[in-house]
Every structure is written in structure tokens, then in C-alpha cells.
Amino acid sequence: MTVVVALREAGLDDCEQVRRLLAQYLFEFDGRTDPYPDFDAYWGAPERLPFLIEADGEAVGLCLIRVRDDGWSIAEFSVVPEHRRTGTGRAAVEAVAGLARAAGARHLEAKVRLDNRVALPFWLAIGFREVTTSGVIVTRRKL
């Protein structure tokens, strides 16, 4: 069975759903329960873009983007555990790349914390390359 994956810009009506998905991800990642800094800015600042990742019409992840210089930086990216390793994340990143390219971005960037090295193979497998490591691994993919 083929899963249809879509990336949808999150509107104000989606704010609480994105907040919930983000809280679940951050708790899973490092037990964090503090509010996400500048979360509300994703619905007001033009350089911040919130997206929901949907599979067959159901929200299964999120992607928070910061538009910087000539590229888009993926601030947060998560797919719920039951949809990992199904191609959902890859399809979502390809959708982000298409939107970024259409907006004139020259690259996508994703940072991987040193204590989250398990995420690095995902980014490398979808065309990102390590560009720097200094407390965090910065990966980038040209568009």
C-alpha cells in the first residue's frame, strides 16, 4: 500500500496540533517539557514557516523552517515513530526542497546535535552533506 505524503503550511487553526507534535518529539528526544522558544513567532514572523507533515490526510509530523540568507534552515523536523522508516520523512524533505527552490533558496540546512547522531544517517541518505561540526553537526543540501 502506498502512503500519500503531503507537506501543508500550518495555519493558526493548526497551532495547537503543531505544539502537541513538537512537545511529543522534544520529550521523546531528551525529556524536555519546557515551552519551545519563539514558538508563536512561526505564525507571525515572515522568516519562520511552520508545516505539518501529513500521510493519507493525517498529521504525522512537523517541520519548522527559518529562512536565512540564501537558504532555508530546518529548525525542527519530526515524524511520529509509527511513520518512521516508511519514506514519509524523505517525501516531506523533498516537498520542503521544492518549496524552498520555488522561493529562491539555494540550499537547505539541517543541524544535528551531537547527542542525536542517530539522525545523521537520515540527512546524509537524502542528499545532505556535513559542512561543519562545532558543538552541532551542520548538514546542507544544494537546491
Side-chain angles (χ1 to χ4, degrees), residues 2-18:
T2 302
V3 176
V4 177
V5 177
L7 186 74
R8 180 172 64 79
E9 188 162 0
L12 279 174
D13 291 348
D14 301 307
C15 182
E16 290 310 310
Q17 186 171 31
V18 174

Side-chain angles (χ1 to χ4, degrees), residues 68-81:
R68 300 176 187 251
D69 303 321
D70 61 346
W72 282 21
S73 179
I74 299 171
E76 301 295 344
F77 182 89
S78 177
V79 172
V80 296

Side-chain angles (χ1 to χ4, degrees), residues 10-107:
L12 279 174
D13 291 348
D14 301 307
C15 182
E16 290 310 310
Q17 186 171 31
V18 174
R19 187 186 314 271
R20 181 182 49 78
L21 287 165
L22 182 60
Q24 289 170 348
Y25 159 68
L26 294 173
F27 184 77
E28 174 193 358
F29 177 63
D30 63 7
R32 190 176 338 162
T33 58
D34 299 335
Y36 189 79
D38 300 318
F39 178 81
D40 293 332
Y42 282 92
W43 284 268
E47 74 280 359
R48 295 178 191 250
L49 306 170
F51 293 97
L52 281 170
I53 300 167
E54 296 178 332
D56 291 335
E58 174 190 355
V60 297
L62 67 106
C63 181
L64 300 180
I65 298 290
R66 299 278 312 269
V67 179
R68 300 176 187 251
D69 303 321
D70 61 346
W72 282 21
S73 179
I74 299 171
E76 301 295 344
F77 182 89
S78 177
V79 172
V80 296
E82 56 271 21
H83 282 271
R84 293 180 189 156
R85 298 190 179 280
T86 65
T88 300
R90 176 184 292 269
V93 171
E94 292 307 325
V96 169
L99 291 173
R101 193 178 301 109
R106 296 180 57 201
H107 68 269

